Amino acid sequence: MLSGFKLFTKLLRWPIRLLVKYKIVPDNPLHALGVEPGRPLLYICHTESASDLATLRRVCQQLQLPDPLSKVQLGSQLLPRTLFLEQPHRLIGGRGKTRALQQGQQLLAAHLAQPELRAQLMPAAILWGRAPGKENSIKWLIGEAHSPNWLAKLLIVLISGRHTLVRLSKPVDLQQMAAQFGSAPETARKLLRMSRIHFYRQRLAATGPKLMQRNQLFNALLASPALKKAIADEAETKRISYQAAQQEARKLLQEIAADYRTSTLRFGDRILSWLWQKLYYGIKVKNADQLRELAQKGHEIVYVPCHRSHMDYLLLSYIIYHQGLVPPHIAAGINLNFWPAGTIFRRGGAFFIRRSFSGNKLYSAVFREYLSLLFIKGYAVKYYTEGGRSRTGRLLQPKTGMLAMTVQSMLRGIDRPVTLVPVYLGYEHVMEVNTYLSELQGSGKQKESVFGVLKAIRNLRDYGYGYVNFGEPISLNQYLSQQVPAWKSEINPLEAPKPQWLNPVTGKLSEQIMRHINQAAALNSINLIALCLLASDKHSLTRQELVQQLQAYLTLQQAAPYHANVSLPEQSAEQMLEHAAKMQKIMLTADSFGELVSLSPQQAVLMSYYRNNILHLFILPAILASAVLRQQRLSLTELQSLAEQLYSLLKHELFLQVPSLQHYIRQLVQQLQAQGLLIQDGEDYLAPPQHSREYMMLDLLAHNAEHTLQRYAMVFNLLRAHGPLPRPELEQQSHQLAQRLLTLHGINAPEYYDKNLFAGLSQALKLEGYCQSDQDNRLQATPALSRLAATVNLLLRSEVLQSIHSIMPEAATTQPGS
């Protein structure tokens, strides 16, 4: 019978080649999984299926691995290379037993007898179609059973063969297992039991839990005690019947809820694969292995990415799908619910959220219950803590609404660990970047529509590379236990409470998420070149100067890394320059003295967006450079003290986080000295000679902190000279002062138009004790602010500082709103 099975498997080779198209996860599995070519390799599969085995043979042939149908020599024994956990169901009756238990015992016994064998047993999961199925569906008909009969399997291959996932896992070391547990039947059973759990979790990670029918979902939500109470309150408040209020709640559910469909994901995968090939040279992904590990351990994953572009919705879900994981349900702004995009997004897993819940208690209750149900059922979820897209390229101050509802859902009692996964999304070209500056300058935000989509499609062009870097995960269970040790005592399965600690804890957590996003930043040719050219006079450098500055920044991040999760470009500095020229981000001109690289005025404004994506990685080196250039001689202790003063504010504005600031500053100083940008004289550090190449490079580095320091100086000096001031008036006057400085010094940077930066700074000053509220709730400076202002003033160019002092009296007498 076995020989017949082998023969049938071999005969399936050509039909499988025609009918099956598969994706192997992970990419480059031999390296990613640590498969050692010199050691015997065996496979373990879930079901003894000829179509599964024929597909695995193709995969092994592609990866140059041993044929799963062959035998393996272990000592004096010749054993089958592939173990099967289960037999498929029969059309009539049950199913037979496999020889997996006996084979497992044989393998363990062979390793006890000959420990030098050290064979590897690699789990191989073949997932057809990745459809989770519906609750209460007819399993045998649509092939949801784990071990379907031959007729159901034929239908599965015909319908879902073109959407097959082959998931290979890290091999088990059989010698290690035999040495630890022996070769008794109990050990073999444990091995098989572990394998069954492994395959179950892999299937769940790739497909997600079963989906509820839409009406079934609505009925379940409307029957929940919390929502029934909210409906009754709505009926009483509006003096309408309970049925009318319930109908209103159902309409809100129809507005909010996703209509998740696997067919839409499959179709979207084809379209997006074509689109990314048209738009990008490639999509670079970092740290995706930790996602698969979390899913394998049964975690509820909540993706919390930064928000740069509308492309984010599509790109992240596409990458997650291609990592072998189920795409999440996505919180999308109600502005995207326009025809036909709204229907497509909804079927792709989007659920829609209004910009504000205020004044609508029923909407708030409906949305909270819907989100809780997603978590309780085990669906992965994705939302943007910034609330909207960044117009400046910096991370926005986080909104805590969705995060608070996530914590409240945990207080309903979720039986799985919940893990937040921060995601850094980066682009070498953001398709909306041209509109961002005009919006900051006061033009209204354009409403999304089908005509806007068609216009965007017409303008699609080469966008360079895209970057998806997964940051360090945050275990929500552990975080709550650290912040609120007794949080589990407040769990209430019937209604999510809102404890007093909720707002402060979610506020701290949201900032931690943003720091983890910034720790996973992606350096690339465009943002690094922007960093260099925007720091230069007239936004122009010689080719040699630009290459040297790029190399200095790369070396700095390699030798004194901001964080291990930061990704560096694979290209050399010269290749980066050629790439930027090919993308038409820079201008190359030549004369008799050599080649110049420059930015046009329009390019300079747009490139500031990409510079701001990575400014946080270079702000502390830039401050050190400014300090040495302006103050001549400083010791390491003085440099560390200065950095510590400014770090208290920078960590709020740029979401900085380094394990030890003093150690990091020491690393930076050592590396700047190694590059010749700092010169040590005894215990002090000096700038290089003024006309040297190194002095110019240090000056370019220092310029990256200039705009930040200028804004700080404006706010500090206004508050000291004309305080106390109401907070809105301080922010308004600071913004007006910035506008004047723009004109006087030819500054053209998007962040100067962003009033939110001044609002965030005034909040940070109060949090860090640099100002306080008086009896009229006005902000007034503390003595600590005077010391900080003196430090910042010393770091500014004299002409800029003079302009600030000369404009201030005029700004101070200008009424808000003028």
Side-chain angles (χ1 to χ4, degrees):
M1 181 175 179
L2 186 60
S3 60
F5 176 74
K6 282 188 175 181
L7 178 61
F8 184 51
T9 300
K10 290 182 177 181
L11 290 175
L12 282 178
R13 176 183 178 186
W14 295 111
I16 288 293
R17 190 174 292 273
L18 293 173
L19 295 172
V20 176
K21 183 178 180 181
Y22 56 80
K23 161 76 177 174
I24 303 174
V25 173
D27 296 327
N28 192 11
L30 302 188
H31 177 265
L33 301 175
V35 179
E36 297 184 31
R39 295 168 55 186
L41 180 65
L42 298 95
Y43 310 98
I44 183 166
C45 299
H46 185 271
T47 306
E48 190 172 353
S49 161
S51 54
D52 283 16
L53 195 54
T55 302
L56 182 59
R57 291 188 75 206
R58 280 187 64 196
V59 170
C60 292
Q61 184 179 15
Q62 179 181 331
L63 298 176
Q64 298 181 339
L65 292 174
D67 186 348
L69 276 181
S70 66
K71 291 184 178 292
V72 60
Q73 185 78 41
L74 293 181
S76 60
Q77 300 184 76
L78 193 64
L79 301 174
R81 193 178 293 275
T82 306
L83 286 72
F84 301 100
L85 291 177
E86 294 183 3
Q87 288 276 357
H89 288 84
R90 301 188 181 102
L91 277 176
I92 299 175
R95 58 184 175 187
K97 292 185 177 181
T98 68
R99 298 187 63 252
L101 182 60
Q102 296 91 326
Q103 288 174 304
Q105 284 181 266
Q106 286 178 312
L107 290 171
L108 294 169
H111 281 79
L112 278 179
Q114 294 178 276
E116 69 276 5
L117 291 176
R118 299 183 65 229
Q120 309 164 95
L121 181 62
M122 183 166 70
I126 315 295
L127 302 171
W128 300 87
R130 301 172 63 177
K134 300 280 189 180
E135 292 188 357
N136 304 319
S137 62
I138 305 174
K139 292 183 177 181
W140 72 267
L141 183 62
I142 61 175
E144 290 178 29
H146 296 319
S147 303
N149 61 57
W150 68 266
L151 180 58
K153 194 55 174 282
L154 176 61
L155 292 174
I156 290 170
V157 173
L158 291 173
I159 295 170
S160 304
R162 306 291 291 176
H163 305 277
T164 301
L165 178 72
V166 179
R167 174 74 187 278
L168 303 178
S169 301
K170 188 175 181 179
V172 175
D173 188 323
L174 289 173
Q175 191 278 329
Q176 185 179 357
M177 189 162 189
Q180 185 174 357
F181 300 107
S183 62
E186 290 75 16
T187 304
R189 288 192 182 94
K190 180 177 182 178
L191 175 64
L192 300 184
R193 186 168 61 251
M194 288 168 53
S195 299
R196 286 190 173 91
I197 294 171
H198 176 85
F199 284 120
Y200 168 76
R201 287 182 172 174
Q202 281 202 339
R203 177 178 295 277
L204 191 63
T207 65
K210 293 185 182 299
L211 299 172
M212 297 180 71
Q213 299 284 354
R214 196 168 166 82
N215 284 335
Q216 180 187 1
L217 171 73
F218 290 176
N219 291 336
L221 286 169
L222 292 171
S224 69
L227 200 48
K228 286 171 74 174
K229 181 178 182 302
I231 291 170
D233 290 345
E234 179 79 359
E236 183 179 352
T237 302
K238 292 190 174 180
R239 300 179 182 276
I240 57 177
S241 68
Y242 182 88
Q243 289 72 21
Q246 187 181 58
Q247 188 60 31
E248 180 63 26
R250 183 176 287 273
K251 287 180 181 178
L252 292 175
L253 281 171
Q254 289 173 340
E255 175 190 309
I256 293 167
D259 187 14
Y260 201 95
R261 302 191 184 188
T262 307
S263 58
T264 303
L265 293 180
R266 292 176 181 174
F267 179 73
D269 178 44
R270 292 179 181 177
I271 296 297
L272 292 178
S273 295
W274 166 84
L275 182 64
W276 303 146
Q277 289 178 4
K278 180 179 176 64
L279 289 184
Y280 299 109
Y281 293 136
I283 307 297
K284 297 184 180 292
V285 182
K286 185 176 181 183
N287 296 333
D289 53 333
Q290 66 187 10
L291 289 184
R292 293 189 291 272
E293 186 177 345
L294 288 170
Q296 185 66 30
K297 291 179 179 177
H299 286 236
E300 171 76 20
I301 299 178
V302 181
Y303 300 93
V304 278
C306 62
H307 201 5
R308 313 271 193 216
S309 165
H310 283 318
M311 281 292 185
D312 299 346
Y313 298 103
L314 304 174
L315 181 62
L316 183 53
S317 292
Y318 175 85
I319 291 300
I320 292 169
Y321 187 72
H322 277 258
Q323 293 303 317
L325 301 175
V326 59
H329 282 62
I330 310 163
I334 194 68
N335 57 306
L336 293 178
N337 190 19
F338 60 90
W339 185 89
T343 301
I344 297 171
F345 289 157
R346 196 184 294 276
R347 292 183 176 184
F351 59 95
F352 294 99
I353 179 172
R354 294 179 183 177
R355 291 298 180 190
S356 173
F357 293 9
S358 61
N360 195 332
K361 292 183 179 180
L362 182 61
Y363 180 87
S364 180
V366 167
F367 189 89
R368 189 169 57 249
E369 284 300 300
Y370 175 74
L371 189 64
S372 292
L373 186 66
L374 293 182
F375 289 130
I376 291 167
K377 288 288 184 179
Y379 302 118
V381 172
K382 176 178 74 176
Y383 52 74
Y384 300 94
T385 52
E386 293 171 285
R389 292 166 293 159
S390 170
R391 265 64 176 172
T392 64
R394 298 162 174 257
L395 294 185
L396 304 177
Q397 291 297 320
K399 307 288 194 300
T400 59
M402 289 292 292
L403 200 55
M405 284 188 277
T406 303
V407 174
Q408 284 182 276
S409 297
M410 290 191 67
L411 296 177
R412 298 284 291 271
I414 299 175
D415 58 1
R416 295 172 312 286
V418 177
T419 299
L420 305 171
V421 178
V423 189
Y424 176 94
L425 297 169
Y427 303 90
E428 290 186 331
H429 181 83
V430 172
M431 66 177 184
E432 304 101 321
V433 72
N434 291 290
T435 67
Y436 285 165
L437 182 63
S438 60
E439 289 179 14
L440 286 170
Q441 291 173 326
S443 69
K445 180 183 173 184
Q446 294 183 359
K447 186 178 179 180
E448 278 75 22
S449 67
V450 66
F451 301 106
V453 172
L454 294 174
K455 182 180 178 181
I457 292 173
R458 190 176 68 248
N459 293 330
L460 291 179
R461 60 181 182 85
D462 189 357
Y463 285 175
Y465 288 97
Y467 299 85
V468 180
N469 289 359
F470 295 98
E472 181 182 347
I474 300 171
S475 167
L476 193 49
N477 302 67
Q478 291 180 11
Y479 188 88
L480 289 179
S481 295
Q482 291 168 359
Q483 300 293 325
V484 191
W487 71 273
K488 290 184 179 179
S489 65
E490 302 191 46
I491 290 177
N492 183 344
L494 297 180
E495 186 171 1
K498 188 174 182 179
Q500 291 183 345
W501 52 260
L502 182 66
N503 289 340
V505 166
T506 53
K508 289 175 64 178
L509 178 58
S510 66
E511 290 202 356
Q512 189 64 32
I513 290 169
M514 307 310 278
R515 294 187 185 109
H516 283 208
I517 290 173
N518 264 349
Q519 287 174 347
L523 291 170
N524 60 57
S525 57
I526 304 304
N527 54 36
L528 281 168
I529 288 174
L531 196 73
C532 297
L533 290 179
L534 291 173
S536 63
D537 290 336
K538 308 297 183 184
H539 305 143
S540 180
L541 292 171
T542 68
R543 186 186 189 100
Q544 183 182 7
E545 289 169 343
L546 178 55
V547 168
Q548 288 172 340
Q549 196 73 13
L550 286 171
Q551 189 57 54
Y553 289 163
L554 289 173
T555 304
L556 188 65
Q557 284 297 326
Q558 289 165 348
Y562 176 76
H563 194 273
N565 284 339
V566 172
S567 64
L568 303 179
E570 300 167 358
Q571 307 149 300
S572 67
E574 280 283 0
Q575 290 171 329
M576 291 162 61
L577 196 154
E578 294 298 333
H579 176 66
K582 185 177 180 181
M583 288 189 63
Q584 300 179 356
K585 294 290 186 181
I586 56 176
M587 297 188 302
L588 298 177
T589 56
D591 56 23
S592 57
F593 298 101
E595 199 167 19
L596 285 174
V597 187
S598 58
L599 300 172
S600 69
Q602 178 66 14
Q603 285 174 325
V605 175
L606 300 180
M607 287 287 272
S608 64
Y609 185 93
Y610 306 106
R611 184 237 3 236
N612 289 346
N613 289 173
I614 60 165
L615 184 63
H616 64 284
L617 301 180
F618 293 92
I619 190 69
L620 288 173
I623 284 171
L624 296 180
S626 300
V628 172
L629 286 170
R630 307 285 178 252
Q631 299 187 39
Q632 306 301 318
R633 302 178 68 95
L634 288 168
S635 68
L636 176 61
T637 303
E638 289 171 326
L639 287 169
Q640 289 173 327
S641 175
L642 183 146
E644 199 167 327
Q645 270 189 291
L646 289 165
Y647 183 78
S648 61
L649 294 180
L650 291 169
K651 70 180 182 182
H652 291 288
E653 180 179 334
L654 295 174
F655 302 104
L656 300 184
Q657 186 176 34
V658 291
S660 168
L661 182 61
Q662 290 198 344
H663 175 69
Y664 181 55
I665 296 302
R666 187 183 302 112
Q667 276 190 312
L668 290 174
V669 170
Q670 289 172 351
Q671 183 48 220
L672 292 173
Q673 182 189 356
Q675 294 192 41
L677 304 188
L678 292 181
I679 296 175
Q680 189 171 8
D681 182 15
E683 293 187 356
D684 292 335
Y685 289 90
L686 316 174
Q690 192 164 0
H691 298 292
S692 66
R693 172 178 62 88
E694 288 79 10
Y695 183 93
M696 184 203 75
M697 295 174 68
L698 188 69
D699 189 51
L700 287 173
L701 175 60
H703 194 280
N704 293 308
E706 195 162 287
H707 292 168
T708 300
L709 294 172
Q710 286 170 6
R711 280 186 291 103
Y712 284 7
M714 293 176 210
V715 176
F716 298 171
N717 289 296
L718 272 172
L719 199 53
R720 290 172 64 212
H722 303 286
L725 291 169
R727 182 171 163 179
E729 188 174 337
L730 173 64
E731 294 165 9
Q732 177 72 14
Q733 290 190 16
S734 299
H735 187 253
Q736 291 174 342
L737 181 55
Q739 301 303 300
R740 177 64 66 89
L741 209 63
L742 283 172
T743 305
L744 290 177
H745 293 276
I747 302 169
N748 204 349
E751 61 267 24
Y752 263 81
Y753 296 99
D754 190 1
K755 296 179 182 179
N756 292 325
L757 283 180
F758 291 105
L761 179 56
S762 62
Q763 183 179 2
L765 285 171
K766 190 172 181 181
L767 285 172
E768 295 298 326
Y770 289 112
C771 65
Q772 58 190 16
S773 299
D774 64 8
Q775 65 273 15
D776 297 320
N777 203 28
R778 298 176 301 174
L779 294 180
Q780 60 183 10
T782 63
L785 184 64
S786 297
R787 293 190 293 271
L788 183 61
T791 299
V792 170
N793 288 346
L794 287 173
L795 297 178
L796 287 176
R797 289 185 288 123
S798 57
E799 62 271 23
V800 173
L801 186 60
Q802 180 60 38
S803 294
I804 292 173
H805 285 303
S806 65
I807 302 168
M808 247 193 340
E810 180 183 340
T813 57
T814 305
Q815 295 301 313
S818 62

